Amino acid sequence: MKKILTIVFALLVASNVWAFDFEIDGIYYNVIDGGVEVTYQTTDYNSYSGSVTIPETVTNDETTYSVISIGTKAFMNCNELTEISIPSCVKTIGDYVFYGCSALTTITLPDGINSIGYCLFYNCSSLAEIIIPNSVASIRGYAFWGCNSLKSIIIPSGVKSIEPSLFFSCSLIEIKVDPKNTVYDSRDNCNAIIETATNTLIAGCSNTIIPEGITTIKYYAFSNKILTSIAIPKSVTTIDKRAIDGTIALAEIKIDPENSVYDSRDNCNAIIETATNTLIRGCNNTVIPDGITTIEIYAFSNSKELSSVTIPNTVTAINEGAFWGCSGLSSIVIPSSVKSMTSYPVFGNCSGLTEMKVETGNTVFDSRDNCNAIIKTSTNTLFAGCKSTVIPEGVTAIGNYALMYCGFSSFIIPEEISSIGKQAFYYCKDLKQLICKGVVPPEIDGELFSSESFYKSVCLYVPREAMEAYKADAVWGKFETIKCIESEEVSLENDDVVVVPDKYEAVFSMPFSESADFYTLIIQNKGVTFCTITFNAQGHLTDINYSLNKSYELKESVVGFQFTVTGLSSAEDYGYSFKALTSNKSVLKEYTGSFTTKNEDGTGGRVQGGGEGSGQGGQGGSTAVSEVSNTTAVTIVNGQILVNGEAPAFVVTVSGKKTANANLKAGVYFVVVDGETVGVSVR
């Protein structure tokens, strides 16, 4: 019985992988009633490319078949297919057939087909011209989505059914309906498709002029068009949600003053539903009027030139994706009146957004501790963030979609976070490292990322004692690279620089100064500056300059003055100088010290100094000297450095200052030995 089950399973797998009955001249076929249909090679791979000619008949095993159909997904994602010739014997073409054929420039549809399938030419971005045969009776939704090279189209007289959203994200400038069509029209050369009986505008383009008499504008009618202005006549009484979604260059919206349902009061350049004071659609030049209570779903979507917006204190609700894709928006203030926002990102894909604030007095949301985020107060949940977000204390959860599309390269998840909502980090394409401080891995609803590739490219840092727990987790364990961070917070209350060296890297934690405008950290090796790192007043990295002709990197971006610098050598002495400075570069405080990286076997390693001033450590003890030639002797006698028994010309401290070669205190100093700078460590 076990053998039979195994064989059946293998056959099922094979039937899902190999999608054709036979192949002739590089084209794959399935036998169907009355003939054959063209199909794909496998479920996950299509091999068609270049110019393809489908024959009228094919012969297999001495049987000749007519080619009567092109099956669903037959040429899907063949992004090297440029041209296709279809014989007149083909009567049906399925859904998704040319989906993603981005190089397709030429196609002739045969007379006799009765339908343009669902997503048939989706993202055929090179297709510049197409003639729809008069035999076509129906055109399904999204059929020409993303056909950016298509400028003109004619709907023949035979078409009796058109689903909305067929021209989403197209660059059409001309739409015509054959005058003999009894169901649809493009009256008054309006460059639109209108359902005649109901006076409903189904689809428009960049040159559409909405005629008088139109009562309804259907959803996605003008979506992602390049409609700079739009005028709504007085006859329009219904505008579907997202009817004018994603009109990138839209700068002017006017409503006929006699319209009884909608208005654009105070020349606000928006569509407002008068009875409910709901803003249905805005544009790049919209000024939201006082009195508006609701900003509707995707009201400003893809208004990329919208640089600023003021939400009045009368607004109580902001709905799904209201400011989606407003990449020119750098800051937003949520007034105290807002009590409702949908979880799907209101500010999704706002790549330029760096500042988010909630007005004091809002009882539902807050942006505590200048976190540049929106927090749902009652549940302490991060509701929405941006690329400058720092999760504040007290927040215990990251909500659904909260950080979707955010442009940070590194992000810290505090120890208090116990749960992360679905798609929280989706499409964070710049993310390189995720630092999760929880000893217990936060629970994740679904997936963190939009693609499995993120688990390979993003490095996860977790507490050392929690490493195995993260690796065993169904989602956290997907990370290809998981490294340790220090699980205990480093106390900076004693005003010290704390250094934890390893073999090839060192973790730095540095004190904060209320008066500082910026900070610098200089690390030296053998008297030569290894790198200079600059931070802003908040302790975020602003510049790093490695002085040597080598390639190094920061392992973690700096948040709260704690980071790891890599590229160091094992068993090597380094000195550092950390300064807190004013805007005119006056030094408020300076901290100097030294450290030695661990040996190759992981042993050794030590730190000296770190306090304000000279970086002095314990007195007396032993002396460590970098390797020099056998003929050179570096010694310390009575607190003085001697080279081959002679005092060197000068001695330099780790901060780069010359010092007297007498009564030296514990620390690291540099002298020139046989033309080479050598570090001398006095313990």
Side-chain angles (χ1 to χ4, degrees), residues 498-515:
V498 178
V499 186
V500 181
D502 208 330
K503 289 185 289 186
Y504 312 115
E505 59 191 35
V507 179
F508 281 79
S509 300
M510 293 160 292
F512 177 76
S513 174
E514 292 286 348
S515 304

Side-chain angles (χ1 to χ4, degrees), residues 55-293:
E56 292 188 356
T57 62
V58 291
T59 301
N60 182 61
D61 288 340
E62 299 182 353
T63 301
T64 299
Y65 303 92
S66 291
V67 180
I68 61 173
S69 174
I70 301 178
T72 298
K73 301 181 181 180
F75 295 90
M76 184 176 182
N77 290 329
C78 291
N79 54 20
E80 295 182 0
L81 179 69
T82 59
E83 184 178 0
I84 187 165
S85 177
I86 305 172
S88 59
C89 53
V90 170
K91 303 302 181 185
T92 61
I93 299 177
D95 298 336
Y96 300 96
V97 168
F98 301 106
Y99 183 111
C101 294
S102 56
L104 183 64
T105 59
T106 304
I107 186 170
T108 301
L109 297 175
D111 288 328
I113 64 169
N114 59 10
S115 176
I116 301 293
Y118 187 79
C119 292
L120 182 64
F121 297 103
Y122 190 108
N123 272 346
C124 290
S125 54
S126 299
L127 188 64
E129 183 181 11
I130 190 167
I131 296 175
I132 301 174
N134 200 49
S135 58
V136 170
S138 65
I139 305 176
R140 297 210 55 204
Y142 306 100
F144 298 96
W145 178 304
C147 293
N148 295 324
S149 297
L150 197 62
K151 302 302 180 185
S152 176
I153 199 160
I154 297 175
I155 305 300
S157 61
V159 174
K160 307 301 180 187
S161 173
I162 298 177
E163 294 181 5
S165 70
L166 72 160
F167 298 123
F168 191 101
S169 196
C170 284
S171 301
L172 284 169
I173 59 175
E174 183 181 48
I175 300 176
K176 290 184 178 181
V177 178
D178 189 306
K180 296 179 182 179
N181 193 302
T182 59
V183 178
Y184 301 100
D185 69 82
S186 54
R187 65 192 72 168
D188 305 328
N189 294 317
C190 62
N191 283 309
I193 301 173
I194 296 166
E195 190 177 61
T196 306
T198 62
N199 290 310
T200 297
L201 193 150
I202 300 292
C205 67
S206 59
N207 286 337
T208 295
I209 298 175
I210 303 174
E212 287 289 346
I214 297 303
T215 60
T216 301
I217 302 176
K218 206 66 177 171
Y219 66 90
Y220 291 149
F222 292 96
S223 292
N224 282 27
K225 302 299 187 296
I226 301 174
L227 269 184
T228 58
S229 65
I230 190 168
I232 308 296
K234 64 182 179 182
S235 57
V236 173
T237 57
T238 302
I239 301 176
D240 285 353
K241 294 177 181 179
R242 307 191 72 173
I244 313 173
D245 184 23
T247 44
I248 297 170
L250 189 61
E252 183 181 51
I253 300 176
K254 298 293 184 184
I255 311 291
D256 190 305
E258 296 184 25
N259 192 299
S260 61
V261 178
Y262 303 100
D263 69 82
S264 54
R265 65 191 72 167
D266 305 328
N267 295 316
C268 63
N269 283 310
I271 300 173
I272 296 167
E273 191 175 62
T274 306
T276 62
N277 288 311
T278 297
L279 192 148
I280 301 293
R281 179 66 209 183
C283 68
N284 292 318
N285 290 329
T286 295
V287 177
I288 304 176
D290 286 333
I292 297 302
T293 59

